[in-house]
Amino acid sequence: MVDFSHNMKRSRRLQMCLLLVCCFSVIGMTMGATPPKAMNVPFSKNYMPTWSPDHIKYFNGGKEIQLHLDNWTGAGFHSKESYLFGYFHMHIKLVAGDSAGTVTAFFLSSNNNEHDEVDFEFLGNRTGQPYILQTNVFTGGSGNREQRINLWFDPTKAYHTYSVLWNDFHITFFVDDIPIRIFKNNKKLGVKYPFNQPMKLYSSLWNGEDWATRGGLEKTDWSKAPFIASYKGFHIDGCATSVNAKFCATKGKMWWDQQKYRDLDAAQYRRLMWVRRKFTIYNYCTDKVRFPKMPIECKADKDA
């Protein structure tokens, strides 16, 4: 005899599961979301050398470059345009082997005394030790908001994507679409937030042996030079504007201004907390020696 009651219960459970899947899909669509995929364009479309152009090597029709660091100099490049809000990313393969003392940087910065800045800094290490990723946010010329994590993969074996989503609500750092840090707009609490100073994008490979590895205890081994960092993915999805502009002409109309990008969704927050629990090795918010009084944004925002 067939147990129809069992089959009906099983059917109800299946329908409930499908309903939950649909609900979570809708939530993911209406809250946080992954930015659109970028186009693959040549370096020269959006960038130009900043210094030591002879230490920049071009491949694949300019769609891939390398920065070289030796005991004479490193190299750097910057965007041709300045931007006020947007999504900024780069595919980077970091210096392989013994990279102690080297710093590979990818950041946004305005050019004035009270500048705004949003930093990725990759701190080299001795062979076998994890790369340290340091992030920082400067507002109105003031920084001191360092956070450090150990990367959970070997960033020298393949390209990984490092990106920043910057809008009027938050600045979020991503590693391969995983949020590792969020700095929210807390202007109402008196915390300065970058909103009216256009920034250029910069990247560089340079010698930071005075501080980069174990506080400067590990020095650069120049017998391993040249040190090489590789780049591709030179598309920029931002509001290009004059360096003196105070307002983006398309503000409110771009995809990064829309409701679903005004915060992370539940899944993204879980991944952020995963990074905090397993890989964070320094957070200025919890440094009571440097900050006996917790910074306002840390006290107000558990996600800082």
Side-chain angles (χ1 to χ4, degrees):
M1 182 175 179
V2 179
D3 186 352
F4 288 104
S5 63
H6 174 75
N7 287 340
M8 289 178 66
K9 290 177 182 177
R10 182 180 178 184
S11 177
R12 288 195 200 99
R13 285 197 299 270
L14 180 60
Q15 290 173 2
M16 183 61 70
C17 289
L18 290 173
L19 180 61
L20 287 172
V21 169
C22 291
C23 288
F24 284 128
S25 298
V26 170
I27 290 172
M29 291 170 60
T30 57
M31 295 177 65
T34 302
K37 294 297 181 183
M39 298 177 289
N40 190 15
V41 300
F43 171 85
S44 60
K45 179 176 176 63
N46 292 314
Y47 292 94
M48 61 187 296
T50 305
W51 51 290
S52 299
D54 61 324
H55 279 55
I56 302 178
K57 312 300 180 184
Y58 299 83
F59 304 90
N60 191 23
K63 290 185 177 180
E64 183 176 0
I65 70 166
Q66 292 178 347
L67 299 188
H68 286 227
L69 167 67
D70 55 31
N71 58 348
W72 291 101
T73 186
F77 61 88
H78 68 273
S79 62
K80 295 178 178 179
E81 302 282 354
S82 296
Y83 299 89
L84 197 55
F85 301 129
Y87 177 68
F88 309 98
H89 84 285
M90 189 66 69
H91 305 314
I92 307 175
K93 184 163 53 176
L94 295 174
V95 176
D98 186 343
S99 59
T102 68
V103 179
T104 306
F106 173 56
F107 59 101
L108 296 100
S109 182
S110 61
N111 290 309
N112 44 38
N113 291 332
E114 294 189 359
H115 77 292
D116 296 328
E117 187 170 308
V118 180
D119 296 335
F120 280 106
E121 290 180 309
F122 303 92
L123 311 182
N125 221 325
R126 292 297 179 209
T127 302
Q129 298 299 312
Y131 252 89
I132 293 173
L133 169 54
Q134 175 171 285
T135 58
N136 202 353
V137 177
F138 286 74
T139 60
S142 177
N144 297 322
R145 297 187 178 99
E146 298 92 346
Q147 292 186 5
R148 290 185 175 189
I149 66 170
N150 285 326
L151 292 173
W152 52 91
F153 52 85
D154 185 341
T156 72
K157 298 296 186 183
Y159 282 99
H160 291 268
T161 305
Y162 307 94
S163 52
V164 171
L165 178 61
W166 171 34
N167 58 28
D168 207 20
F169 303 92
H170 61 98
I171 295 169
T172 298
F173 297 77
F174 294 90
V175 174
D176 291 335
D177 294 330
I178 296 174
I180 65 163
R181 179 176 185 175
I182 184 168
F183 181 81
K184 293 185 177 180
N185 186 342
N186 281 305
K187 287 190 295 185
K188 62 185 179 182
L189 300 177
V191 179
K192 291 184 178 180
Y193 184 84
F195 74 98
N196 66 349
Q197 296 192 101
M199 295 192 274
K200 287 183 181 290
L201 283 90
Y202 297 84
S203 191
S204 58
L205 174 60
W206 51 285
N207 179 30
E209 66 177 0
D210 289 344
W211 67 277
T213 307
R214 294 184 60 211
L217 295 178
E218 302 283 356
K219 301 301 182 181
T220 306
D221 182 354
W222 293 112
S223 70
K224 303 294 194 298
F227 302 99
I228 299 172
S230 302
Y231 296 77
K232 63 181 181 179
F234 300 110
H235 176 72
I236 300 176
D237 201 355
C239 177
T241 185
S242 161
V243 70
N244 296 315
K246 299 293 184 183
F247 189 83
C248 176
T250 59
K251 186 175 180 181
K253 301 176 183 178
M254 304 304 294
W255 63 262
W256 56 78
D257 293 321
Q258 305 311 307
Q259 181 67 39
K260 63 183 178 180
Y261 294 102
R262 294 182 181 182
D263 201 353
L264 304 181
D265 64 24
Q268 288 173 319
Y269 269 114
R270 284 196 295 272
R271 301 188 95 177
L272 175 62
M273 291 302 105
W274 173 74
V275 172
R276 289 284 170 77
R277 288 194 310 271
K278 296 182 68 69
F279 304 105
T280 298
I281 56 176
Y282 177 81
N283 186 343
Y284 79 105
C285 286
T286 59
D287 189 338
K288 295 182 179 179
V289 175
R290 288 179 66 198
F291 303 103
K293 184 178 180 181
M294 182 179 287
I296 298 173
E297 67 271 19
C298 301
K299 185 180 296 186
D301 187 357
K302 62 181 175 56
D303 308 311

